[in-house]
Amino acid sequence: MFKYSSSGDVWMRGVVMVGILSYGAYIPIWRISRTELSRATGIPSMGGERAVAGWDEDSITMAVEAGLDCISDLDVRGVDALHFATTTPPYIEKQNATIIASALDLRRDVSVADFTSSLRCGITAIRAAVDAIKSGRCKRVLVTVADCRLPVPGSAQEQIYGDAGVAFLLGKERGIAEVKEFHVLNEPILGTWRRSEDRYVMQFDPRADNVVYVRVLSETIKALLEKAGLCLKDFSKIAFYANDPRQYVRAASAIGIDVKSQLQDFLFADVGVTGAAHALLLLAAALEDAKPGDRILCAGYGDGCEAFYVEVTDEIESINEKRRGVKGHIRSKKLLPTYELYMDFKRLRDRRWPEPAKASVVTYWRDEIFELPFYGMKCKECGRITYPVARVCRICGAKDKYEIVKLARRGKIFTYTYDFLLGPGGYPGDGVYPGIKAVIDLEDGTRVLLEVTDVLMGELDVDMPVEVTFRLIHQKSDYRFYYWKARPVRG
């Protein structure tokens, strides 16, 4: 029945099997307690805290961070396609996945695609990746999913929503888990929605939504089990999207899932509901505790339901421990002290910040290889690595004698300064949020000047270990410029 090729490809009755080769996650370091949200809005606290993307983060930057967590120890040149799924794309007309592919230093000929408009688009992107691999068009596909949904200020959704990203690398190899079966059921009416001219997520009567939600979710999972010839008790963990933790538990009970032993932790107390990323973030969390032979069912909901399941292999025990994953990011956190600072992170308070005075799109395009995938130059005469790239080596003066090399992602602070005249992202300083810049000595010996993020005043010091992180550097005429910044190494 089974046939294994010398290249590691697996067939079952002539059908190529697809495996999850690696996974990664990203949860912003910033959290705000629901007690603080309750104090500011008057809505009773739901307990715990929620993840908040920084002012310089969006779904693109979080997808890059999740992708790095997934493939940082792998050969990225072997990736043939990149899928990016989100309901909050920074660009409506401009491919977001292309920016992510460049930042991750993928080949320029990889196939890229954006999946959007539905909360289940992440699982749609997974299914499309599986189809591409089974067809033979791709050997490895990286799927990145991230969401940064904006709730109405003062609403209950401010306590429910959270920001996060997740990534999966799929391929023909055996991997840590095999993707087994999918099922899709469409439901075009009800659910959350947002038009292109809307800033906030809208919702109809949640009571009507809940009736449709339970019915569609139940029918989809039932049909998936029938396809696979399995029953609910055959699964170690079951994870699916829900609008809130109460709906999650109620739906599980209605379907017949054992809430205590089978239902995956919803991550509400520490993260919140992360939109299109949430179902797959739960899958990544389940894989962190999985054992060989475990079956995990994952379902996304939005304009219908899309579900699939995986079967964990013995490779799960050898997965690289370098990734932070879900647990590592949850442990690494800082609390926003006030609701007002949260409002500034979300750009919900008008602070009269004008656009930066200088920003050249032409220069940004010309220097893309140095700015997005982050390359420097290595002099062929003295051997020193410097940044940015120039025709003349600033160490020995050799002209046009260099090669392009990838820069290290970690280093230490050599010196730093707080700039009150020029605030974050090149905006004029307002005396509250200074721009923080530091000279960084990277591990490969390169000295670079970078803006520092994820810190408050008084938290930096000389020789502090830092790592580079992909962020929004500034905007001009609503065009977003992305670049690398430094942040203290997350624990």
Side-chain angles (χ1 to χ4, degrees), residues 473-491:
I473 194 74
H474 59 239
Q475 293 187 173
K476 182 181 182 182
S477 300
D478 294 329
Y479 186 86
R480 297 191 169 209
F481 290 76
Y482 294 94
Y483 188 57
W484 299 89
K485 298 183 181 181
R487 70 178 178 209
V489 175
R490 294 183 66 168

Side-chain angles (χ1 to χ4, degrees), residues 23-28 31 51 65-66 69-70 163-168 264-268 270-272 274 277-289 320-333 490-491:
Y23 64 90
Y26 178 74
I27 301 169
R31 316 292 160 80
E65 290 291 326
D69 195 45
C70 178
D163 306 322
V166 65
F168 291 88
Q264 176 63 29
D265 177 51
F266 196 52
L267 301 179
F268 184 75
D270 303 295
V271 183
T274 58
H278 202 71
L280 292 172
L281 191 69
L282 299 184
L283 173 60
L287 286 171
E288 290 182 342
D289 296 321
N320 198 316
E321 293 296 330
K322 289 183 179 180
R323 65 180 42 77
R324 290 193 176 99
V326 179
K327 290 182 178 179
H329 281 99
I330 287 177
R331 287 193 297 265
S332 174
K333 65 179 182 179
R490 294 183 66 168

